Amino acid sequence: MSTASTRLPEGRYGRSSDERADRTLKVVGAVLAVALLGLLGWFGYHYVAKSEISGEVISFEPGKESVQVHLEVRKDAGTDGYCTVRSQAENGAEVGRADFRFDGDATRIDKVVTLRTTSPGTTAELLGCHAG
């Protein structure tokens, strides 16, 4: 005795609903992937292109009432901006924070700034630099 097949003959009745759903999911997935890549590219471009000023702490010298911080700042010519520096005590409490302005046409500035603290600071951390 043979068993009867419940499959429809190939190509006779068009695509099944599963095949249509698979194709739709593939198209939607491709469109979403392209949109996500475009969005990531846009954010990446604006992050890199809009960074007009950046800096780093080269060294620091802690003292009882202040911390001497050697900053190196890189910026576009003619861009004015500021960098925020903070110092923390040994227990992690913030003991000093200040903004230091950088103006002029120089694109690279090496400067030692003095950050006054409320108690002895053990660190010097650059929180960020901003144009404006």
Side-chain angles (χ1 to χ4, degrees):
M1 226 195 318
S2 69
T3 57
S5 172
T6 58
R7 281 187 76 198
L8 298 174
E10 289 290 323
R12 188 168 191 181
Y13 298 101
R15 290 184 178 175
S16 73
S17 62
D18 286 344
E19 290 174 345
R20 282 192 294 270
D22 287 347
R23 184 168 190 266
T24 302
L25 285 174
K26 286 179 185 177
V27 169
V28 169
V31 168
L32 288 175
V34 167
L36 180 64
L37 285 175
L39 189 64
L40 284 174
W42 185 77
F43 279 123
Y45 170 76
H46 283 282
Y47 178 76
V48 172
K50 298 295 180 181
S51 295
E52 297 171 344
I53 184 169
S54 65
E56 67 179 298
V57 173
I58 303 300
S59 65
F60 66 93
E61 186 68 38
K64 289 186 179 191
E65 295 179 358
S66 66
V67 177
Q68 298 288 323
V69 184
H70 181 187
L71 288 176
E72 180 180 298
V73 178
R74 290 167 302 283
K75 64 184 190 68
D76 294 341
T79 300
D80 297 339
Y82 63 95
C83 292
T84 304
V85 179
R86 80 170 176 174
S87 181
Q88 293 176 308
E90 193 170 321
N91 65 358
E94 185 176 287
V95 295
R97 178 188 293 239
D99 293 333
F100 297 100
R101 293 209 57 80
F102 297 97
D103 305 325
D105 290 331
T107 59
R108 184 179 170 277
I109 301 168
D110 242 349
K111 189 173 184 180
V112 176
V113 296
T114 301
L115 174 63
R116 292 187 346 187
T117 59
T118 57
S119 62
T122 58
T123 66
E125 178 182 7
L126 179 65
L127 296 179
C129 294
H130 307 281

